[in-house]
Amino acid sequence: MTRPRIRVAAYVIRNRAVPELLVFDHIGMPAAGTQVPAGGVEPDEETEHAVLREVAEETGLSSATVVRRIAVEDKPHPDTGQPRRTTFFFLRDDAGLTFACRFLPLPLRRPLADEQDAWLGHIDPLWTTMPGYRD
């Protein structure tokens, strides 16, 4: 049996009048869909370190902090079918952005690529209790 590729994915939420989720699109690759920061875990790297590294590498955001692990999902890659295991984390960031990512209001109107939004429902109670959240 093939060992799964170990990955992490980040739900970075910031507080505004409506909580927002950090997402991005691959410019020139619209078929890739809207995604959250995610990527591979390096050998001997802790998953919490990996998720912060991936967020920084993919978005430039270095002020995000891990709140907690949300879920671990075993799911094959959508194109290759190769096994992979992704640990989803809830992170928060309330710093201003100066790069070309965007935040979407929650709940999302459309699903993210590769069902990356599948675990968002597991943090709903958490973001509504974060300082600055307004009903």
Side-chain angles (χ1 to χ4, degrees), residues 1-119:
M1 181 173 176
T2 305
R3 292 176 50 178
R5 178 174 179 234
I6 306 300
R7 304 176 69 247
V8 291
Y11 293 145
V12 182
I13 308 275
R14 74 175 180 180
N15 288 315
R16 295 295 187 262
V18 174
E20 298 171 325
L21 175 69
L22 178 66
V23 298
F24 67 92
D25 297 299
H26 288 280
I27 296 174
M29 293 178 52
T34 300
Q35 301 178 30
V36 296
V41 176
E42 296 174 1
D44 300 319
E45 184 179 32
E46 296 293 325
T47 55
E48 283 194 17
H49 180 267
V51 75
L52 292 170
R53 177 182 49 76
E54 286 294 336
V55 167
E57 286 176 3
E58 293 185 359
T59 70
L61 182 65
S62 61
S63 57
T65 57
V66 173
V67 175
R68 72 177 176 95
R69 184 176 73 169
I70 299 299
V72 178
E73 175 183 77
D74 289 306
K75 181 177 162 186
H77 188 279
D79 296 328
T80 66
Q82 293 296 312
R84 61 186 182 166
R85 173 171 290 153
T86 304
T87 302
F88 288 80
F89 285 91
F90 169 31
L91 287 75
R92 83 170 146 234
D93 184 77
D94 291 313
L97 296 178
T98 57
F99 43 87
C101 292
R102 69 183 190 275
F103 283 92
L104 296 176
L106 294 171
L108 297 175
R109 292 184 180 171
R110 289 183 292 207
L112 298 178
D114 192 26
E115 300 175 352
Q116 288 181 338
D117 55 317
W119 299 98

